Structure formats: C-alpha cells, structure tokens
Amino acid sequence: MKKLEEYVRSIPDFPQEGIIFRDVTSVLEDADGLHLAVDTMQGLVSDLEYDVVVGAESRGFIFGAPIAYNMHKPFALIRKKGKLPCETVSREYELEYGTAEIEIHKSSIQPGQRVLIVDDLIATGGTTKAMIELVESLGGQVAGVVVLIELAGLKGRDRISGYRLDAAISYPGK
C-alpha cells in the first residue's frame, strides 16, 4: 500500500510562483487514499476523549463526518456566514487578502462538551483559531485539532499554541 503522502498531488508555482500547492482532491479521488487519510487522522486522536466532532466547510466535512460516524459521535457543521438556518454564533478571521466569517449553530455544542476539530489543512492557523473560538464561545472545551496536512512553514501551530494539534502529514514549507 502507498504512503499517505504519495496520494497528495503537489503542484509547483500555484497559486503563485514559489508556492507548492498541496492538493487533497487527489486523496479524495482514490478510494485507498481516502480510506488511509480518514483512518490515519482517526488513529492520531485515538487517545482523546471527545463528545462532538466539528468540521469546517467544506473539506472538514469530508474528513470529520467519517470520523464522527466511526466513533459514533455527533458531527457539527462550521460554515461560511449565512449558510446555517438556525440561531448561530460567528467569528471573523483574517485571510491573506481580507477577512472571512464562519459560524456554527448555537445548539451544536453544549457547555462542557469536549470537541474534536477536524479540517483538511492548517496553514497560518486563522481558520483553526476562529473554530476554536466558536467552540469555546458556546462553552465547549477543545479536546484537540486533527488535520490531514500541516504547512509548518506558515506557523499555524504557533497561532493555536496551548491546543493539541495532530497532522497526518507535515510539510516544512509553505
């Protein structure tokens, strides 16, 4: 069987020269790659106790939902502002060029629940930090964060220091 890294397609000079884009669609498009990714991420957090899994739109859904399903845990959605129909809380965060806002239903996390945050990637940590803030604003406790890919050169781990972060693959650059 191939190693997980072998399923990730690396595209040089995208979106700009000098950047190597790590494409997770190549993982998703291969049944063995997807299976290995979910199993690896789930295995990284097998020692954690958590009550709820949350994932951010959209790739956090792809990896978080199967982990929640396998562990028989509820799965809560974090979406772009304006996409959830019930009462929400939201957090704005910085992007490379501007800002974005994400939200979660107020009913998704109960005070005291331990939450596992799942996403495809951590780069600068802005989205991850906003997800942590959403969980905590509802009284949840972040048990940990697990991602498929960490772009370690962008220092997202530093931005969420104090929280456990597990990455299935860590690339040293950007």
Side-chain angles (χ1 to χ4, degrees), residues 113-136:
Q113 284 187 312
R114 296 184 47 79
V115 178
L116 175 65
I117 295 174
V118 179
D119 209 353
D120 68 322
L121 179 124
I122 184 168
T124 64
T127 305
T128 307
K129 187 172 189 313
M131 288 190 287
I132 289 169
E133 290 171 356
L134 283 176
V135 167
E136 291 179 343

Side-chain angles (χ1 to χ4, degrees), residues 55-67:
E57 185 173 356
S58 65
R59 292 187 197 114
F61 296 177
I62 293 168
F63 297 108
I67 292 172

